[in-house]
Amino acid sequence: MHKEDIISLLEGYKNGDVNLDEALKRLINLPYKDLDFAKLDYHRGIRVGYPEVIYCEGKELEHLKKIVEDMLKQDKNILATRVSKEAYNAICEITDNLIYSEVARVCVINPKETKKVGLVAVVTGGTADIKVAEEAAITLETFGNNVDRIYDVGVAGIHRLFNNLDRIRRANVVIAVAGMEGALASVVAGLVDVPVIAVPTSVGYGANFNGLSALLTMLNSCAAGVSVVNIDNGFGAGYIASTINKRVAKGVE
């Protein structure tokens, strides 16, 4: 539930379009719905502007199905991340109204048409980073942001990045996704006047240490304006970029 839903509900009750029982029924799950094994935070959209997202990895499939089943009652977009094929099949037992990206391991359940604002550029060093970048991009689109995907423009062929600078500079925020040594974020941040959110990926040979080398490079960036999320955390980058982009797009000072 979002602030707009509460306002609409209260106005409906005031005008007599919604009776007391219906209003109570719709508010009863605030601040959360207790499923015993899970506490579904339906109040989150009101508090922070974004609904709870289902992180599927590690969840029992029966628990996941019950969570989805209850969240569907809200009749809103549901975003699920780290969705394995097994988790996807389990969700399909509840509903077939969904969009699944096997590359990003992201599922949008009960998808709704969302008005999109602003622009976020999602940039990758290589094609092996696309799975993480797509998690960020789909998160952004689900939350109502326009996205420009600019993939495979890493420092090993830096002319590719320069050829796409005009596109990158049009964005309100840039997400730079890279593995190996993770230099992409520093290079991009030195060329643009907007925030750069760096996402280290676990792509790379042994001394990459499953993304640790890229993480340390990004944290030690000599270019100002870089913030860093956790290794392979495309969702986290998309979430942060959305909060920035929407404030810029709406002219919030």
Side-chain angles (χ1 to χ4, degrees):
M1 186 172 279
H2 297 276
K3 291 179 183 178
E4 294 79 7
D5 298 317
I6 294 290
I7 292 170
S8 177
L9 179 61
L10 293 176
E11 288 179 343
Y13 177 68
K14 179 182 177 181
N15 298 332
D17 297 328
V18 179
N19 62 39
L20 181 59
D21 288 340
E22 176 62 22
L24 288 173
K25 181 180 177 182
R26 291 169 63 181
L27 291 171
I28 199 168
N29 288 332
L30 300 181
Y32 63 86
K33 175 70 173 291
D34 193 342
L35 297 182
D36 189 28
F37 62 89
K39 311 292 186 287
L40 303 184
D41 189 4
Y42 290 131
H43 192 264
R44 189 174 304 184
I46 300 170
R47 294 196 317 274
V48 303
Y50 294 90
E52 184 171 18
V53 172
I54 306 172
Y55 180 82
C56 297
E57 200 166 66
K59 280 185 172 60
E60 295 288 338
L61 295 182
E62 288 304 313
H63 287 173
L64 175 60
K65 287 158 63 175
K66 289 177 182 177
I67 290 169
V68 171
E69 191 172 31
D70 200 90
M71 292 181 75
L72 280 170
K73 298 173 185 176
Q74 304 295 314
D75 195 29
K76 301 288 183 183
N77 266 331
I78 303 169
L79 180 64
T81 65
R82 296 298 171 93
V83 183
S84 65
K85 286 294 290 184
E86 292 76 17
Y88 166 70
N89 291 332
I91 295 170
C92 286
E93 293 179 22
I94 305 301
T95 179
D96 60 0
N97 183 23
L98 50 82
I99 302 170
Y100 178 55
S101 169
E102 189 171 354
V103 172
R105 294 189 295 165
V106 167
C107 198
V108 182
I109 307 161
N110 193 36
K112 304 285 187 182
E113 189 64 36
T114 305
K115 180 183 178 181
K116 295 178 176 61
V117 300
L119 181 64
V120 179
V122 180
V123 184
T124 75
T127 55
D129 302 308
I130 288 176
K131 58 184 183 295
V132 177
E134 277 299 299
E135 183 180 69
I138 294 170
T139 296
L140 283 160
E141 290 170 338
T142 304
F143 287 164
N145 304 268
N146 291 306
V147 177
D148 189 5
R149 293 164 167 84
I150 305 167
Y151 293 164
D152 196 25
V153 291
V155 298
I158 203 166
H159 56 291
R160 301 171 300 177
L161 178 67
F162 295 153
N163 287 343
N164 287 278
L165 269 181
D166 287 344
R167 288 171 62 188
I168 296 171
R169 285 173 171 161
R170 283 197 291 265
N172 295 323
V173 193
V174 179
I175 296 176
V177 186
M180 299 293 184
E181 84 297 334
L184 178 67
S186 293
V187 175
V188 170
L191 296 168
V192 301
D193 61 354
V194 298
V196 175
I197 301 169
V199 188
T201 73
S202 52
V203 172
Y205 292 103
N208 170 264
F209 296 112
N210 293 317
L212 183 59
S213 66
L215 172 65
L216 293 175
T217 296
M218 291 169 171
L219 287 171
N220 285 286
S221 173
C222 63
V226 177
S227 61
V228 187
V229 299
N230 209 342
I231 298 167
D232 292 336
N233 189 9
F235 165 74
Y239 189 107
I240 296 167
S242 178
T243 62
I244 297 170
N245 177 59
K246 284 192 168 183
R247 290 182 71 84
V248 173
K250 292 178 181 178
V252 177
E253 296 181 359

